[in-house]
Amino acid sequence: MRADHPREHWVNVADGLLDAVTPYATPGFAQYRLPGRTSRSGPESDGLEGFARTFLLAAFRLAGDPAAAPAALLERYAEGLAGGTDPGHEFAWLPIADGHQTIVEAASIAIALHETRPMLFDRLDPGVQERVVAWLGGIVGKHAWPCNWVLFKVIVEQFLAGVGGPYDQDEIDRHLADVERWYVGDGWYTDGAGQNYDYYCGWAIHLYTLLWTRMSGADATVHRDRLRTFLDGYRHLFAPDGAPMHQGRSLTYRMASLAPLWLGALFDASPIEAGATRLMAGRTLDHFAAHGVPDERGVLSLGWHRPFLPVTQGYSGPASPYWASKGFLGLLLGPDHPVWTAPAVDPDAGELSLALPAPGWLLHRSDGITRLVNHGSDGNDPDTARDDPHYAKLGYSTHAAPETGPGGRAENIDNHLTVLLPDGRATRRRRIERIGVADGFAASRYADGEVVVETASVLDGPWEVRVHRVSAPAGSVVRDGGHAVAADEPCTVMPGGLTASVTTTSGKELVSEIAGLHGWDTAAAALRHDENAFGAHSATPYLVGAHPGGRTAIFVSAVRLGRAPSTESPEIAVHGEQVSWNDAAGSRVEVRLGREPAYRRHGSVGARVVWTG
């Protein structure tokens, strides 16, 4: 691991990525047809994606230090622009169409052209300039999906406005108003209507709204203030070793998670010191490099630490991972910028407990691992109710991933409270209904047919204490799962009484543990192969208990993901529907769900937390 991550290192990594894709360019460099699974948009679209996303990386590399801009890189993308926009060229780009991937890639091309304009666009042959403007102009009036896609149109049309091309100001204004409706406070946007909270808030919505101000000259104050507030929480979605939180879709973009950190420095809108920004970003770059990213060919594959298609979506093609280019946004900051010259500052690596009410999350960190407790993001718009494992789980982590292979998706054990009905059907947490979020506490409910599950999560030292209130018919069985852990070698299983623990045995040990505190009958572990993004062998500890039926029943568990030897799980007391215990800090905790949910934490010193729904 590098000590300081200077700008030269980032330039070298960028150059390596750009050199590695060159053999996959079509004659004339209009498309880059990388090896891998074709997306649902087809190979022509995938080839355009390869051009657009690597062009974005090249633009950051070129624009941040024009004096050191490699002429060959400029020439390569200038030739690609000429060929891609020539209808007679063998590898000409598809025209921009309603709801098509071309809309996405047009935005990357527009940003790259804007940032490199003096050295590239302005020096193109006038005929090529006209063709580029005409191709991009095809976006005007086209339908974009009602999510971050509307900002692709904003970016492209704003670029066109700056070069005398066709654009529709009403469209720009309307789509910016769409985004404004998705703002929920504390710097957070949902990605379209509903509860879609994930990396798109940072690497798309914050990024594009601020780049729009950079292109248009509009007042950036509101967007800068929102980004600053967002970063105050977002910075904690990374572990001290640089591992990013494994939650949400498009995770194969990997280093794109760094874009908001660099954006804060670019717009002087960050609560993070310049030297800490550099160190945080560098550690994430190191984290992926240590896990084989890029691969032995120097290529970014579809996956996470390794090629792994279940972490992708149907729109993901072989070049999709190159949205990782956004993670190199810092290269726009020239060599003399404080983010590169300030002394390195170690980010806070101690224990953490933080509530993020906007997305409905709790963050807690110990043992160098950050965990996310999810009571707010289900990945659904108001008209759908899917149970995507990248959104619907109770918990996520920087060092563990949900089971996303076909078996893991179907059985749905990890980080999920499931009711197994007498007819064999298993309930699923599709739509999350929030109950509340407070300091160290979050709660929600979900309904599936006649079953209603209410869950409260309380942070207690390294543990997450889960209080479940379950309404289910007689003969039902209740199951609660902990974190799935994975490695290249089989995991060690250590069941014992009402506690199940699984440990990775390769590299630094990682322990996932679940303890039954009330209502449970047995503890066990589920073992799987090639179902997890973190390794070929995975395991999940879980609890099982019988539901009495005819009334609500309380089940309480304690979940831990860490490295240190196990600490004693909390000792709880259940009185009717109220659960209470003394936490690791000596505070009295009381939780009640049902018609009048409440949470109280009374410490001998410090703040007193009282939340009533």
Side-chain angles (χ1 to χ4, degrees), residues 73-108:
L73 197 57
L74 280 166
E75 292 166 4
R76 188 191 316 168
Y77 283 95
E79 186 176 351
L81 288 163
T85 58
D86 180 358
H89 194 280
E90 181 183 3
F91 296 102
W93 300 336
L94 295 168
I96 297 175
D98 288 331
H100 193 268
Q101 190 68 26
T102 44
I103 292 175
V104 184
E105 306 319 319
S108 289

Side-chain angles (χ1 to χ4, degrees), residues 315-381:
Y315 55 74
S316 303
S320 293
Y322 285 84
W323 242 21
S325 299
K326 295 181 176 185
F328 290 77
L329 182 71
L331 290 178
L332 275 181
L333 301 165
D336 296 330
H337 191 279
V339 81
W340 301 118
T341 61
V345 176
D346 244 322
D348 176 29
E351 293 191 359
L352 170 76
S353 175
L354 178 68
L356 296 178
W361 291 347
L362 301 177
L363 299 180
H364 62 133
R365 183 177 63 223
S366 60
D367 294 339
I369 298 166
T370 304
R371 294 164 290 276
L372 184 158
V373 178
N374 175 38
H375 287 277
S377 182
D378 53 26
N380 289 315
D381 61 38

Side-chain angles (χ1 to χ4, degrees), residues 230-243:
F230 172 76
L231 287 173
D232 213 27
Y234 182 81
R235 65 193 295 182
H236 299 298
L237 289 178
F238 299 82
D241 67 359

Side-chain angles (χ1 to χ4, degrees), residues 1-17:
M1 183 176 287
R2 300 183 64 88
D4 196 25
H5 310 91
R7 191 177 187 277
E8 291 76 15
H9 175 61
W10 285 85
V11 168
N12 291 336
V13 174
D15 286 347
L17 289 169

